[in-house]
Amino acid sequence: MPLLTDPKTAGIEAFRAGQPTSTSGYADGSSQKLSWLDGWTQEQIAQRADVGQATSDQVMSG
């Protein structure tokens, strides 16, 4: 089920769509799966940082 985009971008899009890491569609241990997981994880971290920043901004202004 790999997408036509590069694996890292597909991982980012999968995280944004709420898909678990088990849906990558790439073979375990393949470089494509590792790239997909990298994109998924980086997007997760980025979104958590955004939430943390928003919470911090609310505390500072409140």
Side-chain angles (χ1 to χ4, degrees), residues 2-56:
L3 304 175
L4 297 177
T5 58
D6 69 274
K8 187 170 184 173
T9 301
I12 291 168
E13 292 171 359
F15 181 85
R16 290 176 180 168
Q19 297 175 356
T21 57
S22 61
T23 64
S24 76
Y26 294 104
D28 288 343
S30 68
S31 61
Q32 292 93 348
K33 183 159 188 172
L34 294 174
S35 182
W36 190 96
L37 289 170
D38 185 45
W40 193 97
T41 303
Q42 284 186 6
E43 185 63 17
Q44 180 187 48
I45 291 168
Q47 286 193 22
R48 284 182 179 175
D50 289 346
V51 168
Q53 183 62 41
T55 302
S56 175

